[in-house]
Amino acid sequence: MQQRFQVKGGDFINAGKASSTVKSMLKQLNVPANLIKRIVVALYETEVNVAAHAYEGEILVKIESELITIQVADKGPGIEDIELAMKEGFSTASKEVREMGFGAGMGLANIRKNSDTFTIESDPGKGTTVEIINKLSF
Amino acid sequence: MNEGREHTIFHHALKVVPELCIGCTHCMKACPTQAIRVRNGLAKIFEERCVDCGECYKACPVSAIIVEQDDFNEIFRFGARVALVPSVLIGQFPSQITTEEIFGSLKKLGFTHIFEIDSVVEQVQQGYNRFRENYSGPAPMISTFCPAIVRLIQVRFPSLVNHLIRVKPPSDIAALHFKEALIREGFAEGTIGLFYVTPCAAKIASIKSPVGEDDSAVNGVINMEYLYNKMLQLILNRDVENDEGETGNLTSKGILWSLTRGESKHQPGRCLAVDGISNVTQFLERLEDAEETNINFLELRACDESCAGGVLISGNRFLTVERLNGRAKNLPDTPQDSTKNAGAKFDPDVHGLKPIAARSMMVLDKDRTIALEKMNKIEDLLKVLPGIDCAACGSPTCRSLAEDIVLQRASITSCVFMQELYLRKGKITLDEADRINAEIWGEGRDQRSQGK
C-alpha cells in the first residue's frame, strides 16, 4: 500500500492532511493506538517542517504488514548543520515567531523521538530528505 | 468491522419501525459513525457502530425511528416512585410556571418523590478534583457527562479512551444517593423505583447497557417528550398542588451544569467546551493528530446546546437555555446547609467508573496481511466508483460502499453507475439488475411514483 502527498511551502492549513489520512489507514489495520500516535506525531511534524521551511515537498508513505516507511523529500534551503538542527531547542525562528508559540526548536528532535529509525540528509541550497521507519506491532 | 463476530450485545434505544420506514437516505447520511445502511427498502442499524446520539431520529422525515422507553405504568409496581428530574425538564416551561407547579404535576401523574439530579453536581465536582489529583495520563481530561460522546470515543477514537474522566455522571450519582436516602428513611430496597426523565436516547442506552459500571441504579427511563405533554396539560388546567421536591438545594451551578460550558467554566486551567456531534468529531480528529497538550479539560456534548438540544426535547433549545439562565439568577451559588443532601461526599468506590474499553469499529480485519489486502482493494474500488456519495447503493458514501464490498456486505453492482456500465457491457442482465436493486430498495420500488 503506497500513498503520495504533496505539501506546499507556507500552506499550514493543509499540513496535516497526510498524517490524518495515514492515521485512518492505521486504525483500519488494527495498529495499536500508541504506535499510531508516534507515527502520526512524527509525520505531522514533518509536514509542518516542509510548510514552514521549504518551497514544496513530497511525502511517500509505504505501509507493509509490519512496517511503515515514510519518505519526505523537499525543495528548499536545506540545513547547513544537521547536528545542530537536531538539538532540542535549536531554532532558526525569530523572537516574534517564538513569542507566538511556534519555532520552539523541538520539531526535528520530536520526529526522531517518535521514529524507530530516522535518517536525514540535506543538500544546502537544494533541499532535505527525511526517512522515518516505524514498526506496526510491538 | 466484524459484523456478527462480535459477541457482546449492545443495547440501543433507537429502533427502526419497518411499517413506517420509507427507505430514504436521510438517517444514513446523518449518522456520525456510518452505522446505517438501506437494505430491502428499510434502514438497518449496525449495533456495534451505533452510539445512540439520535442524529437519525432527528433526520427521519416520517418519524420511523423511535426511541425505546419503559412503559409509564411500570412506576406503579413500586411503593416509592421516584422521578429523577434533569434541569432541562424545568427549562421546558416558561418562567411564569414555578418549579413547585412543575413538581406538583409530576406528583399528580403518580410519582411520590421528585429529585433534581443536578443537585449532586458538587459531588461530581469532588470526583473531578480527586481524579485530576491522581491523574497521570495524557492531557486533556475528557468529561464522561455525555453518554453518546463516551460511546463515540470508544468506537471511533479508541486511542482517546484513557483521557476519559472516570466519574459517574450526575444522573447515576443522584440515583445512588437518593436510593440510600430513602432506605435510611425506612423504605425497603425492593419497593424503591427510580425513574430517570430523559432528554436523550443515549442515556436510555447507557442505563440499559452501562459503560464502566456493572449495573445502573436506575430502574426505568421515561421519555421527556411523553411526560412534558401530560405535565403541561395538568398545569394549564390548574390541576396541580404545589410541591417543593425532595432536594431543595439546586444551585446556580447545578441548574446550568448540563448546558454548554456548564462543566468547563468551573474547572481549573485551560478548558474547552464543544457541542454538536460533528463539531466534537472534528475536534477529536485534531486531538488525535497533533498533540493538544495545552488543554486541561474538555467538555464534549453530542447535541447542539448540549442537553437543551436533546433529541427527546421538543421545546426550542435556545429558549430552554435562556429560561434556565433566568432561573439560575434566583438560586444560591453554593449548596445550603439546611438541605437534605448537604454534606454528601464523593465516594470513589461507589461513584467512580471502571476503565472504559475501546471497541474500534474501524478495523478491516484482525489479521494485518488480510486487512492490508482489503485496504488495497478499497483504494482500487475508489478509483472506479463515481465519488459523488449519492447513497443510491444503500451505503452512505462511495468509500463506505467500497468498505462494504470488501467486507462482503455489498457488491460493486450496488452502485447505479457501475450497474449501468455492467449492463451495457452485457456483464449482467436486466433481471439481475432488478434483483440487485430490489435487495437495496425493496420489491417494486422502481414502479411506484409516490412514497408508501
Side-chain angles (χ1 to χ4, degrees):
Chain A
M1 162 62 69
Q2 277 197 15
Q3 290 259 359
R4 253 173 235 280
F5 304 89
Q6 310 297 327
V7 185
K8 275 202 193 108
D11 185 359
F12 291 97
I13 295 161
N14 286 307
K17 253 196 177 144
S19 46
S20 206
T21 310
V22 168
K23 180 189 68 183
S24 326
M25 290 164 71
L26 296 177
K27 276 187 184 179
Q28 291 190 308
L29 294 176
N30 207 12
V31 175
N34 38 357
L35 295 185
I36 296 183
K37 185 126 204 175
R38 279 168 61 81
I39 296 161
V40 165
V41 169
L43 181 51
Y44 178 74
E45 291 280 3
T46 312
E47 286 180 85
V48 171
N49 269 348
V50 174
H53 302 290
Y55 316 126
E56 59 178 348
E58 188 179 71
I59 300 171
L60 178 66
V61 179
K62 204 169 125 195
I63 302 176
E64 294 156 286
S65 60
E66 290 304 324
L67 224 53
I68 182 167
T69 309
I70 299 166
Q71 289 168 329
V72 188
D74 71 39
K75 286 180 190 154
I79 303 167
E80 291 279 356
D81 185 342
I82 289 179
E83 209 175 311
L84 183 64
M86 292 299 302
K87 274 195 183 145
E88 287 191 12
F90 174 80
S91 173
T92 53
S94 65
K95 191 167 165 260
E96 288 78 13
V97 170
R98 286 196 222 194
E99 275 168 3
M100 286 190 286
F102 301 100
M106 299 302 289
L108 281 175
N110 209 11
I111 296 168
R112 182 164 62 182
K113 202 175 82 190
N114 285 289
S115 310
D116 293 342
T117 313
F118 174 79
T119 323
I120 182 165
E121 281 167 20
S122 191
D123 197 350
K126 287 191 175 159
T128 304
T129 57
V130 165
E131 188 181 65
I132 298 160
I133 303 174
N134 275 24
K135 288 194 208 85
L136 298 182
S137 309
F138 290 111
Chain B
M1 189 169 57
N2 303 297
E3 204 195 355
R5 255 188 261 169
E6 187 75 70
H7 294 294
T8 323
I9 295 162
F10 303 111
H11 181 95
H12 291 293
L14 296 155
K15 309 270 176 213
V16 180
V17 185
E19 292 75 24
L20 298 175
C21 179
I22 56 167
C24 64
T25 61
H26 289 74
C27 59
M28 184 168 76
K29 291 194 142 187
C31 178
T33 57
Q34 302 194 319
I36 302 179
R37 300 290 183 275
V38 178
R39 296 288 181 266
N40 297 312
L42 298 172
K44 178 179 184 275
I45 303 175
F46 291 154
E47 304 260 299
E48 71 277 28
R49 282 198 175 204
C50 173
V51 298
D52 287 281
C53 65
E55 291 298 312
C56 54
Y57 178 88
K58 286 190 230 171
C60 182
V62 292
S63 305
I65 291 176
I66 55 155
V67 175
E68 197 191 43
Q69 56 192 299
D70 291 306
D71 178 10
F72 184 75
N73 288 318
E74 282 286 296
I75 72 164
F76 295 106
R77 293 202 294 121
F78 298 90
R81 301 181 288 276
V82 182
L84 296 168
V85 175
S87 299
V88 286
L89 176 65
I90 300 167
Q92 297 311 294
F93 298 92
S95 51
Q96 295 90 326
I97 296 174
T98 62
T99 48
E100 287 77 11
E101 285 176 289
I102 296 167
F103 293 165
S105 70
L106 285 169
K107 279 257 170 99
K108 184 90 185 175
L109 287 169
F111 289 104
T112 56
H113 297 76
I114 317 298
F115 281 127
E116 293 156 296
I117 61 162
D118 295 310
S119 64
V120 300
V121 298
E122 287 305 329
Q123 270 163 283
V124 177
Q125 185 64 62
Q126 283 170 21
Y128 284 4
N129 295 345
R130 206 191 147 91
F131 188 81
R132 184 185 310 108
E133 282 158 23
N134 301 319
Y135 185 67
S136 57
M141 302 194 315
I142 302 177
S143 166
T144 34
F145 176 91
C146 176
I149 296 299
V150 172
R151 280 153 197 252
L152 179 75
I153 290 175
Q154 281 185 295
V155 304
R156 204 166 154 176
F157 301 97
S159 71
L160 300 176
V161 289
N162 295 331
H163 293 248
L164 290 164
I165 300 173
R166 278 155 50 195
V167 172
K168 289 181 183 173
S171 52
D172 293 25
I173 292 181
L176 290 163
H177 182 67
F178 296 138
K179 190 168 199 168
E180 257 173 55
L182 288 172
I183 290 170
R184 273 201 304 275
E185 279 181 30
F187 285 93
E189 194 173 343
T191 65
I192 306 168
L194 298 157
F195 291 85
Y196 177 65
V197 182
T198 181
C200 85
K203 202 69 217 181
I204 298 179
S206 78
I207 284 165
K208 305 283 178 187
S209 66
V211 174
E213 52 185 331
D214 296 328
D215 219 346
S216 171
V218 178
N219 298 85
V221 209
I222 309 288
N223 178 334
M224 191 176 289
E225 227 169 18
Y226 168 88
L227 215 52
Y228 170 76
N229 281 331
K230 296 199 176 303
M231 291 166 75
L232 187 65
Q233 197 161 33
L234 289 172
I235 294 167
L236 294 178
N237 292 341
R238 301 253 158 246
D239 197 11
V240 294
E241 279 169 42
N242 284 349
D243 187 276
E244 291 195 339
E246 300 296 324
T247 49
N249 67 343
L250 199 57
T251 56
S252 57
K253 181 178 179 178
I255 199 170
L256 302 176
W257 189 262
S258 66
L259 303 182
T260 304
R261 283 181 289 281
E263 296 174 272
S264 67
K265 69 181 168 202
H266 299 292
Q267 309 311 315
R270 245 184 106 203
C271 303
L272 205 68
V274 184
D275 61 4
I277 198 157
S278 60
N279 298 332
V280 170
T281 303
Q282 225 174 48
F283 196 83
L284 292 177
E285 289 283 354
R286 204 194 141 83
L287 189 64
E288 268 193 335
D289 288 353
E291 292 181 322
E292 291 281 351
T293 43
N294 291 330
I295 299 169
N296 300 93
F297 180 93
L298 260 187
E299 171 197 305
L300 306 173
R301 308 284 178 79
C303 295
D304 184 26
E305 295 294 329
S306 295
C307 297
V311 296
L312 298 177
I313 289 186
S314 40
N316 183 282
R317 57 189 181 279
F318 302 105
L319 282 175
T320 303
V321 171
E322 187 268 338
R323 286 166 178 163
L324 287 175
N325 275 305
R327 287 184 194 260
K329 283 185 190 132
N330 300 321
L331 292 172
D333 291 335
T334 50
Q336 305 300 293
D337 288 340
S338 59
T339 53
K340 264 196 182 177
N341 59 341
K345 290 275 182 289
F346 175 81
D347 178 351
D349 295 331
V350 184
H351 304 136
L353 290 171
K354 292 177 182 169
I356 294 164
R359 46 182 186 90
S360 175
M361 61 169 201
M362 324 280 283
V363 179
L364 289 171
D365 201 287
K366 289 199 172 115
D367 182 321
R368 183 81 49 74
T369 315
I370 298 171
L372 210 52
E373 272 169 32
K374 287 180 176 172
M375 188 180 282
N376 275 319
K377 256 185 221 166
I378 290 171
E379 294 305 319
D380 287 343
L381 282 164
L382 284 171
K383 285 175 198 150
V384 297
L385 291 173
I388 57 168
D389 297 340
C390 68
C393 59
S395 300
T397 62
C398 290
R399 179 171 281 276
S400 61
L401 174 63
E403 286 171 12
D404 287 345
I405 293 170
V406 302
L407 296 171
Q408 294 175 330
R409 294 195 296 232
S411 78
I412 188 142
T413 46
S414 305
C415 170
V416 289
F417 290 83
M418 295 309 291
Q419 201 181 89
E420 171 84 14
L421 192 72
Y422 277 47
L423 273 171
R424 276 195 211 193
K425 288 190 175 172
K427 283 189 179 174
I428 55 168
T429 63
L430 269 174
D431 282 348
E432 279 170 312
D434 281 349
R435 204 199 63 238
I436 293 160
N437 291 341
E439 276 170 15
I440 306 168
W441 298 104
E443 288 293 338
R445 180 74 172 226
D446 47 348
Q447 279 148 39
R448 66 183 182 180
S449 52
Q450 303 280 313
K452 271 182 198 172

